Amino acid sequence: MSLREFPLDAALPRVPLGEWIEAGVDWATRTLGPLFDAVTAVVEGLVGPLEQLLNGVPAVAVVAVLAGLGWWLRGWKFALGAAVGLLLVAGMPYWEETMSTLAQVLVASLLALLLAIPLGVFVAENRRASAVARPVLDFMQTMPAFVYLLPALFFFGIGTVPGVLATVVFSMPPGVRLTELGLRQVDKEIVQAAESFGAPPWMVLLRTKVPLALPTIMTGVNQVIMLSLSMVVIAGMVGAGGLGDVIIFALSQVEVGAGFEGGIAVVVLAVVLDRLTDSAGDRFPSARAQRLAREAA
């Protein structure tokens, strides 16, 4: 049969991928109910008290603490700018929502890093694991952010928990990738020198590789926090609370002023967290030594 005679409108076999996924979700819901309840209790037990703490102290105290961290890590100019930005947010009617968002970002980032950094170490030390993890991470990073909300919403319902868990999954890949990258970039001669003294592999990893890779790992920490902030705002679509609710409500009601105020609060929070985490990596002795070596070269 020639190409012209081939029936181009012939029906191709349908792959019921969506039905398979729904069946898997149904099975997980029926079988893993106690696990989901335990995860819900853990997330609520972390987010709730932290949110109460941040909203329980005066806004001026929170601003003073963050500005003080900025002074210590970056200098008085950044501290002044951070204080002005945060006081602007405190003067708007969404300070409680901002602190709720901050609590969710901190918890989601902590959980994501507790998973991402050990996984990054594992794939850095195992070539086969790295080959398997790479396409999985590519898939996770190219998946639209809204898609992560669907299974989280199905398993955990509406509220803060699905938003935080979707944020954890969404923000993990940069932490894994940059941890692996930092460990693989450690000078092999330094590693061989440590091994020549008879140090076991775990000591070479903890005492040599990880300290030298810390600047790159901290870049991963920074990226995880930034992605967590962006996803927590999107999670307002599933009732996660915080600034996400403010922005989603403003969008649905075409409230330009409220949307602008919520957006300004997100921007200020993002800039402060970004600069603080970026500067924290420079405080490690290995980072200072590498910077001095680059300047000397």
Side-chain angles (χ1 to χ4, degrees):
M1 180 182 294
S2 65
L3 181 60
R4 292 183 179 180
E5 297 173 346
F6 186 81
L8 298 179
D9 59 344
L12 295 175
R14 179 178 178 274
V15 179
L17 181 60
E19 297 174 5
W20 295 342
I21 293 176
E22 289 183 2
V25 170
D26 290 338
W27 174 86
T29 304
R30 293 192 305 268
T31 308
L32 303 178
L35 176 61
F36 296 148
D37 292 340
V39 172
T40 299
V42 170
V43 174
E44 290 179 344
L46 291 173
V47 176
L50 181 57
E51 185 176 346
Q52 292 176 3
L53 174 63
L54 292 173
N55 280 317
V57 299
V60 176
V62 177
V63 173
V65 170
L66 293 176
L69 284 174
W71 193 319
W72 177 55
L73 292 172
R74 294 190 67 94
W76 68 269
K77 292 182 180 179
F78 173 76
L80 179 61
V84 171
L86 290 169
L87 288 174
L88 173 64
V89 175
M92 296 189 295
Y94 300 120
W95 178 256
E96 290 187 3
E97 288 81 0
T98 303
M99 292 298 97
S100 176
T101 296
L102 178 59
Q104 293 178 41
V105 168
L106 293 177
V107 171
S109 300
L110 174 63
L111 295 177
L113 291 170
L114 288 176
L115 296 172
I117 292 178
L119 183 57
V121 172
F122 176 69
V123 298
E125 298 293 311
N126 190 312
R127 294 284 181 178
R128 292 183 179 178
S130 177
V132 173
R134 191 172 295 113
V136 175
L137 295 174
D138 291 340
F139 176 81
M140 292 174 66
Q141 287 189 286
T142 53
M143 179 70 71
F146 295 96
V147 177
Y148 288 105
L149 296 175
L150 294 175
L153 182 63
F154 194 90
F155 290 138
F156 300 98
I158 294 175
T160 301
V161 175
V164 170
L165 294 177
T167 300
V168 170
V169 178
F170 177 74
S171 61
M172 272 182 56
V176 179
R177 287 188 184 278
L178 288 167
T179 300
E180 179 186 8
L181 177 64
L183 292 172
R184 290 193 184 279
Q185 286 182 336
V186 174
D187 193 339
K188 296 187 182 301
E189 294 183 357
I190 297 177
V191 176
Q192 292 172 356
E195 292 173 343
S196 67
F197 284 101
W202 65 269
M203 185 174 291
V204 173
L205 174 65
L206 295 179
R207 296 293 184 88
T208 302
K209 292 183 178 180
V210 170
L212 292 174
L214 269 178
T216 306
I217 295 175
M218 287 302 299
T219 302
V221 172
N222 176 272
Q223 293 301 304
V224 167
I225 293 175
M226 291 298 99
L227 287 177
S228 296
L229 181 57
S230 67
M231 187 63 187
V232 162
V233 174
I234 295 174
M237 298 182 66
V238 295
L243 293 172
D245 276 3
V246 174
I247 295 173
I248 296 299
F249 177 80
L251 183 63
S252 63
Q253 301 296 321
V254 198
E255 294 282 349
V256 179
F260 187 79
E261 288 178 331
I264 288 294
V266 171
V267 169
V268 171
L269 200 57
V271 170
V272 171
L273 293 176
D274 177 62
R275 298 300 187 270
L276 289 178
T277 54
D278 184 58
S279 300
D282 295 334
R283 288 286 173 174
F284 292 105
S286 58
R288 292 197 296 268
Q290 292 180 33
R291 185 176 63 253
L292 292 174
R294 288 195 300 268
E295 293 174 355

